[in-house]
């Protein structure tokens, strides 16, 4: 699948090696690269932890789920340079650090995401603020994760946990068009509906 509807990531199926690789590229300025890499690593380290099983019995095929998130190459000193360097209408994302991130009611946030654009607060005085965790949380939204209810989960809004669980992987796979069996426990806010397609049916399991 090569990003058929302009979403923020794509999946690559390798039938020979039985893998499904979730790919996404993020643009940011040079001074943000180290922090962004920490958030990316939290997702890439999930490679091989889960699989997607299609079919039943002797016909079942088990595909290992891998993550291949990366930072775009380039020497960008300003947000404008990084943003305008993104190829238009392709699966790329933009990450920016801001002195203050607020919602529509002017409440201060640790981070936020609007489609493929991510904003991370640089205000370290926020109580309980873990900046790398916030980066990974917002990257999860660009991959299709909603706000989760599970205690300790990375995708709990305002939480402190960094665990990436099966519900998070199910959400990503569902958003990418892989129908999967099993409840996805969502909190308020962003959801994982509107999948790209629904013609690949199976289920996610922990390896």
């Amino acid at each position: 699948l090569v990003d058929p509807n302009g979403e923020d990531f794509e999946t690559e199926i390798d039938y020979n090696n039985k893998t499904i690789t979730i790919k996404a590229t993020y643009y940011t300025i040079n001074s943000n690269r180290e922090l962004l890499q920490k958030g990316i690593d939290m997702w890439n380290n999930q490679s091989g932890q889960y699989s997607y099983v299609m079919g039943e019995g002797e016909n079942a095929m088990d595909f290992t789920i891998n993550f291949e998130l990366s930072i775009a190459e380039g020497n960008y000193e300003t947000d404008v340079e990084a943003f305008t360097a993104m190829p238009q209408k392709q699966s790329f994302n933009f990450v920016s650090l801001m002195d203050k991130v607020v919602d529509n009611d002017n409440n201060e946030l640790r981070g936020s995401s609007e489609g493929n654009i991510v904003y991370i607060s640089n205000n370290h005085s926020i109580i309980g603020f873990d900046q790398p965790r916030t980066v990974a949380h917002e990257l999860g939204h660009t991959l299709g994760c909603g706000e989760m209810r599970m205690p300790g989960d990375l995708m709990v809004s305002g939480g402190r946990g960094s665990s990436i669980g099966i519900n998070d992987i199910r959400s990503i796979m569902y958003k990418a068009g892989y129908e999967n069996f099993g409840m996805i426990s969502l909190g308020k806010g962003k959801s994982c509906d509107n999948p790209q397609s629904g013609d690949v049916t199976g289920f996610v399991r922990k390896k």
Side-chain angles (χ1 to χ4, degrees), residues 64-162:
T64 298
I65 298 172
N66 294 322
F67 286 84
E68 195 175 296
L69 277 54
S70 62
I71 301 174
E73 294 183 3
N75 184 24
Y76 310 119
E77 297 295 337
T78 68
D79 279 348
V80 172
E81 289 177 353
F83 188 82
T84 56
M86 291 193 302
Q88 297 300 307
K89 298 182 180 179
Q90 294 186 41
S91 56
F92 294 94
N93 306 267
F94 174 72
V95 178
S96 175
L97 261 67
M98 304 181 68
D99 291 336
K100 191 174 184 180
V101 180
V102 297
D103 62 15
N104 292 332
D105 297 319
N106 208 38
N107 297 310
E108 188 165 7
L109 305 173
R110 303 176 185 187
S112 70
S113 59
E114 300 174 8
N116 66 331
I117 301 176
V118 171
Y119 301 101
I120 304 297
S121 174
N122 211 22
N123 180 8
H124 294 273
S125 67
I126 300 173
I127 296 174
F129 182 41
D130 181 338
Q131 201 174 30
R133 188 259 183 197
T134 298
V135 171
H137 175 94
E138 298 303 335
L139 297 186
H141 288 319
T142 71
L143 297 174
C145 282
E147 303 284 2
M148 295 296 178
R149 296 192 183 102
M150 304 299 291
D153 194 286
L154 172 69
M155 297 310 298
V156 173
S157 181
R160 299 187 182 185
S162 58

Side-chain angles (χ1 to χ4, degrees), residues 46-67:
Q46 298 302 305
S47 295
Q49 301 297 311
Y50 294 90
S51 65
Y52 187 77
V53 183
M54 290 185 274
E56 298 179 355
E58 295 180 356
N59 296 321
M61 293 185 292
D62 190 309
F63 291 81
T64 298
I65 298 172
N66 294 322
F67 286 84

